[in-house]
Structure formats: structure tokens, C-alpha cells
Amino acid sequence: MEAAATTPIGRPKRRRPPIFGSSIPKITTRGLVTSSGGTSIPDITDREDCPMCKKFGSGPCGEVFKKWLACTDEHPGKDAAGEPLHLSNCSDFAEKLAVCLDTNDEYYSKNDDNNKQKHDANNDTETDQELKDAWKDFVHSMEAGIASGEYNILPYPENINPKMEVRLANRTGAAFFVPEKDGQPLIAAYILDNNGSVIAAGSKDDMDMGSLGCVLQFKVADGMKSATSRAIYDNEKDDIDIFSRTMLLPRK
């Protein structure tokens, strides 16, 4: 997974948990394969669709921004303490960029409101739909496997029981998954509403939020009565075990 995004002065910026992640596991005769062996949809924050790149990649700070960005690309990963490597290796570029952006604040802030409105209006992009469709296909395969008895459906053991939160005020929810079960990593997780429709899904790398564990966001639609979280962990067998928990949503 790529290093966390940073602010121009080099401090880690917490990204939001995904609704639909960008890496869909591949179903094989030996179970599920993720990452290098899985199905991958291009990340929606790729360069050509990167708001930060579009904003700072041109203008008076464009060149220093590009140098800082190139440096972060050359130093992926984390050190032994868990800190992104680019924080120490690219600090000079980050400091120069911070000074430049501070000096040219008016230039870069004048179009922020217009850009935000355009981004909100076009948020549901073609790539977003591709992700949703790919995850729906994956979840359909999992649910069909459960229905046929090919896959095992089990309650979560107490030590990995996910925490689920719902905020009716802004119509959102979140599920917090434990990254490992008995030393075996989480492969993927998904959320179903009370009609069986998939409303969120992601792989471990998609959901990894550091100390918070693996997190999925989901939207709470009008009339939604429950949310079911399902997770697949790696194991030493060829069997696929799917752990499940349903939470009734609070009423207004």
C-alpha cells in the first residue's frame, strides 16, 4: 500500500475510510487471492484524477510541488517505527513547498470554492461505478457460495467481533474490523443492508487505517433497518470461512 498522503509541510494526513476499495480479491480454486494476485481497479486518486495534483501542479509552486511528489514516489513504505519514509527523506522539498504555498496562498485559494462544487457534482465518476460493479460481482459470488453451502458462514469469535457505529445525523456508518485472526490477515470485508444490497466493500489494504484497524464507511439510506458486516480472513485450509454480524440501526 502506498504511503499515507501528507500535507505540504510533511505531516501525515489521515485519509478517510473507503466505501468501496480499489483492490477486489480474485476467487481461485485455492481460495481468495489479493494484492499482487488479485483483481485491481485503478485507484481513483491516480495522477490524472488527483485534486491536489491539479491544484498545486501548476502555477508559482508547480515545480517544487512536482519535485516533492516525485520524492515521495521514490520513498514508499514505512520505517521500523511505522512512519512513512518520505517524511524524513523529502523534508527539504516539503519545507520549500510550504513556504511557497504560504507566499502564494491567494493564488491557490481563489478557486477552492468553485473546485469543491465541481468535485462534489462529479463525485460519482465512471471509475467509482466500475469499483461498485466489481465489488457487487465479488459479493454476489460470496453470497452464492454461502447459499450453496460451498462457503462457511460463521458468527465472529469474540476476539474479532467488529465494532459498528451509525450516525443518523449525517446518514453515515462505519465498521471497524480486526486486521488479523489468529495471525492470519483479513482478506476482505463488505456491508449489506437489510435488502441484501452491498453498500460498502474493501480489501485489507483498502481499509487499513493504522491504529484504528481496518475501517469501512457506508451510507445509511432512508428506511434502512439493519447493516450486516461480513469478513473473510486467510486460513491454512482451502475452505473459505465468512464471518457475519448484523446490527439493527437505531431509530430517529
Side-chain angles (χ1 to χ4, degrees):
M1 184 178 66
E2 292 184 359
T6 63
T7 63
I9 59 174
R11 292 194 300 268
K13 179 181 179 181
R14 179 177 293 176
R15 63 184 179 88
R16 292 184 177 182
I19 296 178
F20 288 95
S22 60
S23 297
I24 297 88
K26 181 179 180 181
I27 304 172
T28 72
T29 56
R30 294 182 60 81
L32 299 179
V33 182
T34 57
S35 299
S36 60
T39 302
S40 181
I41 299 293
D43 189 352
I44 59 176
T45 57
D46 279 348
R47 294 293 187 267
E48 62 269 20
D49 191 33
C50 169
M52 186 172 69
C53 301
K54 289 181 178 180
K55 180 176 180 178
F56 301 121
S58 59
C61 300
E63 290 305 311
V64 67
F65 173 81
K66 291 174 184 177
K67 291 178 180 178
W68 168 78
L69 193 64
C71 183
T72 63
D73 288 342
E74 291 172 1
H75 298 89
K78 299 180 180 181
D79 60 22
E83 291 294 325
L85 291 172
H86 62 76
L87 292 185
S88 57
N89 288 282
C90 306
S91 58
D92 288 346
F93 292 121
E95 290 173 5
K96 291 177 181 178
L97 180 57
V99 171
C100 185
L101 293 177
D102 185 60
T103 303
N104 297 278
D105 178 67
E106 184 177 354
Y107 176 90
Y108 286 104
S109 62
K110 63 183 179 181
N111 293 322
D112 271 358
D113 290 340
N114 289 337
N115 290 338
K116 184 179 186 302
Q117 291 174 4
K118 290 179 182 178
H119 178 268
D120 291 343
N122 295 292
N123 189 45
D124 194 10
T125 63
E126 182 178 347
T127 303
D128 293 333
Q129 191 59 50
E130 289 178 1
L131 285 173
K132 292 177 183 178
D133 291 344
W135 275 112
K136 286 178 181 178
D137 288 344
F138 171 80
V139 171
H140 176 76
S141 296
M142 294 294 99
E143 295 299 297
I146 292 172
S148 68
E150 181 181 3
Y151 303 150
N152 304 315
I153 184 75
L154 303 166
Y156 286 93
E158 187 62 32
N159 63 328
I160 63 165
N161 203 19
K163 176 183 178 183
M164 298 180 70
E165 297 180 351
V166 170
R167 296 180 180 179
L168 293 180
N170 56 9
R171 312 299 298 175
T172 61
F176 299 77
F177 298 91
V178 178
E180 293 185 354
K181 174 186 177 292
D182 301 328
Q184 299 294 332
L186 176 67
I187 295 176
Y190 56 92
I191 310 292
L192 303 172
D193 65 12
N194 48 281
N195 295 315
S197 299
V198 56
I199 55 176
S203 68
K204 181 179 184 295
D205 281 353
D206 295 326
M207 300 184 290
D208 189 355
M209 298 296 292
S211 60
L212 294 177
C214 293
V215 188
L216 270 180
Q217 283 194 95
F218 58 92
K219 296 179 180 179
V220 178
D222 290 338
M224 184 171 160
K225 299 178 181 178
S226 66
T228 297
S229 67
R230 290 189 170 159
I232 305 104
Y233 288 82
D234 199 3
N235 60 48
E236 296 179 352
K237 307 176 296 180
D238 290 340
D239 294 342
I240 294 178
D241 295 334
I242 301 175
F243 297 96
S244 183
R245 177 198 175 193
T246 297
M247 181 185 78
L248 296 177
L249 301 188
R251 295 183 178 181
K252 294 182 180 179

